[in-house]
Every structure is written in structure tokens, then in C-alpha cells.
Amino acid sequence: MVTFFSPCVFPLVPAYLAQLTGTDVKGGAVNANRGLIISRSVGFITGFTIIFLLLGLSASAIGTWFALYGTLIERIGGIIIILFGLQMSGLISLQSLITERRIFKRGPKKSLEFFWFSRLWARIRSRLDALYRINSRFDIVYGKPRRNDV
């Protein structure tokens, strides 16, 4: 909780609340209903909590699986490395390591996906740039506005 009030995070709170509620910040205050802010904040926090719990559980499950089958995985990895070394040295020639295979064929649909990704990234990037500009006005250590020494 202490990091919430740190000079790095605290100036982001109004912008975070405005982004969360879909409103704007005027005069250092978010123009939104308290119930809307609280309900969306609780949803946001719940979502992050669920995601990180699932990440922790899956990492624990994968770690347990590696602990159980560690020696088998090491041996299979060693065999693969030896095969790659023999392929690189030219002692054996495995055609499956030389040829190219594509799982998904590229078509016009891909270009449409890249178009929508670029549109989405442009919107996210503009908001990130605004937050960076707001934070660049404050001294990182003391949380005070910077002097214009430039």
C-alpha cells in the first residue's frame, strides 16, 4: 500500500481513474460518479487478482511437473542438442531441420488483423504518451514539479 503513495505512482491515479471510468480530469478531479468509480475499480482489482492467481497456480503446476519428470526432460533435451550438433557438423542430414513448414497460411485475413492491431496500438500509445508527459513534469525523488533547466 505504501507504493501507491510513492512519487512514481501517485500522479497516475487521476489518469487511471479517468481511464477506468471513461471520463476526463478537470482541475485535478475526476468527473464521475463515486459508485461508478468504485464498481469499476473493484472489477479491475478482481480481474488482476484472478489473472495473477491463475499465473501463480499454473507456474506451480508446471514446476511440479518439471520436478516429477526432470531427469526425463533433461535426457530428451540432451538428445535434441546432440542431434542439432551432428546436423550442424554435417555428420548427419535431417531434412526436417532444413525444410520450412508453415502451420497457418497467410492470406488477406492477416492484413486485416494487422490493421486492427495497429489501430488499437495507436490508441494505447497515445494514452501512454499522455501519462509519460504528465509524469515527466515531476521530480522522481521528491514528487515536486521540475524546474525548466533546458
Side-chain angles (χ1 to χ4, degrees):
M1 190 66 179
V2 175
T3 58
F4 180 77
F5 296 106
S6 70
C8 301
V9 175
F10 199 62
L12 294 172
V13 173
Y16 157 74
L17 290 176
Q19 180 69 26
L20 193 64
T21 59
T23 60
D24 59 348
V25 179
K26 289 185 182 170
V30 178
N31 300 324
N33 175 341
R34 277 187 187 237
L36 181 68
I37 292 174
I38 290 172
S39 66
R40 290 189 178 175
S41 296
V42 167
F44 183 80
I45 291 167
T46 304
F48 260 94
T49 302
I50 289 170
I51 292 298
F52 281 103
L53 281 174
L54 290 175
L55 284 172
L57 287 173
S58 62
S60 295
I62 291 170
T64 303
W65 189 77
F66 277 126
L68 290 174
Y69 301 106
T71 55
L72 178 66
I73 293 170
E74 287 175 0
R75 289 182 180 159
I76 291 172
I79 291 169
I80 291 172
I81 289 174
I82 291 170
L83 286 175
F84 285 166
L86 293 172
Q87 172 77 22
M88 290 295 291
S89 66
L91 294 175
I92 62 170
S93 178
L94 300 173
Q95 290 299 319
S96 61
L97 295 178
I98 299 172
T99 58
E100 176 183 355
R101 291 191 184 105
R102 295 186 182 199
I103 297 172
F104 300 108
K105 305 251 186 230
R106 296 191 190 268
K109 182 180 173 186
K110 253 326 181 205
S111 61
L112 188 62
E113 289 173 7
F114 286 125
F115 169 75
W116 286 115
F117 175 76
S118 64
R119 298 268 304 167
L120 176 66
W121 179 248
R123 294 190 68 171
I124 292 170
R125 181 59 196 239
S126 64
R127 289 185 173 98
L128 286 175
D129 286 343
L131 291 175
Y132 291 148
R133 274 185 259 130
I134 289 169
N135 280 338
S136 69
R137 295 181 188 151
F138 293 94
D139 192 310
I140 298 297
V141 178
Y142 301 109
K144 298 177 184 175
R146 288 187 181 169
R147 295 180 305 156
N148 291 334
D149 294 333
V150 181

